[in-house]
Amino acid sequence: MGKFSRLGNDLYTGRKSVDFVGKTRVWYAISGLIIIAAVLGLYFKGLNFGLEFRGGAQFTVSMPANEATQDNADQLRDDVAGTGIAAAQQVVVTTAGKNSIIVETEPVTPAEGNQISTTIQQSVGVTKADISTDEIGPSWGKEVAKRSAIGLVVFLVLVTLMIWGYFRQWKMSVAAMVALSHDLLITVGIYALSGFEVTPATVTGVLTILGFSLYDTVVVFDKVRENTKNLRSTHQTYAEAANLAVNQTLVRSINTSIVALIPVGAILYVGAVQLGSGPLKDLALALFVGMAAGAYSSIFIATPLLAHLKSLEPDVQELEKRVKARRRHQVDPYAQVPVYTDDMPVAAEAPLTGDREEQTAAARSGGARPQPNTDATGRGRVVPPSRGPVRPSSSSGRAQPSRKSKSKRGKK
């Protein structure tokens, strides 16, 4: 943990840095492959909607301890399908813990329901009191889907306006919404590939991950705003300041994601392995996939996309040019000093030679006086203008004092 803490401190101060923003194409390619797999799963397998959405009959069979095995579930599936009832041909049989098995069929009539109940009693040796029957109409599932869609749209609109108003930058709202759509598509694709049923608990989990995904993204964006507030004084480009913000929040994002994923993973294991069926595993799978995708998108998608959108602004491009010019000067401060050539104009020769005798001779002969170069030669430096030509000094004909030894000083 000590090394991890030192790494976090180095990332925060900038002594160490991971180039998240500079490798945008790599992260886009990885996300593109994941999204393609999710879309293919949706296209070829589709979502396995639960009984609450498609409607039907559900028979819950209570059994003695440890008898709700997969062998009994397979036996029930074959026996119920063998009744010849059309609604029972696509029967779904799953275990629910160690004491019950759930049998799901299409909507059936009361007579067909009694026939299926009798078949279950004969198949696994239970009584009629051990079987509970629930009839669910598809209209309830449609109402749940409709209200969930309305809630999702309202949520997205309000969050977009909130991010826009808080950060005062619509490009942050766009980047956050793209990252959120990325998380939702991956979560839905994982559901299609895994074959888990889509139940109202799944919808609850999907709506929950929206807030978690945006929470992590907003934290990173807040640090980006702090780092880019005074870019001129920090001598950084917008992309570098944004990348520093991601590095500064990296350890925090990893820690919070791990802390959140551990209990959700435990719930997923209990719901899928121990219980076998029920809303617990549906909720946990949506939360687990959505949280993992949200942590990934806030680091690898949202901030790089924001930096890319900001790089199209003229002010950001101009700042980037100034920063690069400053760094070139820092590497070689004499890179802009002109090099002497034979065809250089006379006005530029005298300042380059540095020979004062030639300048004096040119002035005495009445030749053209070379003018000093007043262009800036370095960072923040401006050559002062000349006050006049250099003339011969009146003291040039006088006898100049000579240095005498100490013993002869004061003697004539």
Side-chain angles (χ1 to χ4, degrees):
M1 292 300 293
K3 293 182 178 179
F4 192 70
S5 299
R6 288 193 296 271
L7 175 61
N9 184 67
D10 292 341
L11 291 173
Y12 191 88
T13 57
R15 285 193 294 267
K16 292 183 180 180
S17 178
V18 181
D19 191 9
F20 294 106
V21 176
K23 298 180 180 179
T24 305
R25 295 183 179 180
V26 176
W27 316 133
Y28 288 174
I30 295 174
S31 297
L33 292 176
I34 298 175
I35 290 176
I36 289 174
V39 172
L40 292 177
L42 286 171
Y43 180 78
F44 289 104
K45 295 190 65 175
L47 292 174
N48 181 21
F49 288 99
L51 195 68
E52 294 84 356
F53 290 98
R54 68 175 188 269
Q58 176 176 293
F59 302 87
T60 303
V61 184
S62 299
M63 306 180 67
N66 298 325
E67 290 191 9
T69 61
Q70 188 61 41
D71 293 336
N72 287 332
D74 295 338
Q75 182 65 35
L76 275 176
R77 182 182 299 107
D78 296 337
D79 293 341
V80 172
T83 57
I85 301 174
Q89 298 305 306
Q90 301 295 329
V91 61
V92 178
V93 182
T94 57
T95 58
K98 298 180 180 180
N99 299 322
S100 59
I101 296 177
I102 297 177
V103 180
E104 297 178 354
T105 66
E106 300 295 330
V108 295
T109 62
E112 292 174 339
N114 293 331
Q115 183 179 352
I116 293 174
S117 178
T118 303
T119 302
I120 294 174
Q121 297 174 36
Q122 296 174 354
S123 177
V124 292
V126 295
T127 63
K128 186 176 181 180
D130 296 327
I131 302 174
S132 61
T133 305
D134 295 319
E135 292 285 344
I136 301 176
S139 59
W140 187 83
K142 292 180 180 179
E143 187 67 21
V144 171
K146 179 181 178 181
R147 293 183 180 275
S148 300
I150 294 174
L152 176 61
V153 172
V154 172
F155 174 84
L156 294 178
V157 172
L158 293 179
V159 166
T160 301
L161 296 177
M162 186 275 294
I163 296 177
W164 191 355
Y166 180 70
F167 293 106
R168 304 298 176 86
Q169 294 186 22
W170 63 268
K171 293 180 180 179
M172 284 190 172
S173 296
V174 172
M177 291 302 102
V178 170
L180 183 60
S181 301
H182 166 274
D183 301 340
L184 288 176
L185 186 56
I186 290 178
T187 303
V188 175
I190 293 297
Y191 252 91
L193 293 173
S194 64
F196 275 41
E197 283 189 350
V198 178
T199 63
T202 305
V203 177
T204 303
V206 170
L207 294 177
T208 303
I209 66 174
L210 299 179
F212 185 88
S213 176
L214 285 174
Y215 169 74
D216 212 11
T217 302
V218 168
V219 169
V220 179
F221 280 0
D222 192 60
K223 196 64 180 177
V224 171
R225 182 181 63 171
E226 179 182 340
N227 291 351
T228 57
K229 189 175 183 180
N230 296 313
L231 281 178
R232 295 180 183 272
S233 60
T234 59
H235 307 308
Q236 287 181 318
T237 64
Y238 190 94
E240 292 172 345
N243 190 73
L244 177 61
V246 179
N247 282 272
Q248 289 174 332
T249 57
L250 179 62
V251 173
R252 176 200 169 281
S253 298
I254 294 175
N255 288 336
T256 54
S257 299
I258 292 176
V259 170
L261 287 174
I262 288 176
V264 175
I267 295 174
L268 178 61
Y269 173 79
V270 172
V273 178
Q274 300 295 328
L275 299 180
S277 180
L280 195 61
K281 70 179 183 65
D282 303 329
L283 175 65
L285 179 63
L287 290 177
F288 189 87
V289 177
M291 288 180 179
Y296 170 84
S297 65
S298 63
I299 298 173
F300 297 97
I301 301 299
T303 307
L305 179 59
L306 173 63
H308 176 73
L309 294 176
K310 294 290 291 185
S311 66
L312 303 178
E313 297 182 0
D315 294 342
V316 176
Q317 294 176 353
E318 182 181 354
L319 175 63
E320 186 175 354
K321 291 180 181 179
R322 287 200 298 267
V323 171
K324 290 182 179 179
R326 180 185 296 272
R327 290 174 181 174
R328 283 196 300 267
H329 173 75
Q330 291 175 349
V331 172
D332 185 5
Y334 301 101
Q336 297 181 356
V337 176
V339 180
Y340 178 80
T341 57
D342 293 336
D343 57 347
M344 183 174 290
V346 177
E349 290 181 0
L352 291 175
T353 59
D355 192 346
R356 297 181 61 182
E357 294 181 359
E358 293 183 6
Q359 297 179 15
T360 304
R364 289 176 178 176
S365 61
R369 178 65 184 173
Q371 298 297 325
N373 184 12
T374 60
D375 296 336
T377 59
R379 182 183 62 183
R381 300 177 181 177
V382 178
V383 178
S386 176
R387 296 184 178 181
V390 179
R391 298 183 177 86
S393 175
S394 59
S395 63
S396 59
R398 299 178 184 176
Q400 301 298 319
S402 60
R403 183 178 179 83
K404 297 180 180 181
S405 62
K406 187 175 182 180
S407 61
K408 294 182 179 181
R409 292 178 186 175
K411 297 181 181 180
K412 294 183 180 179

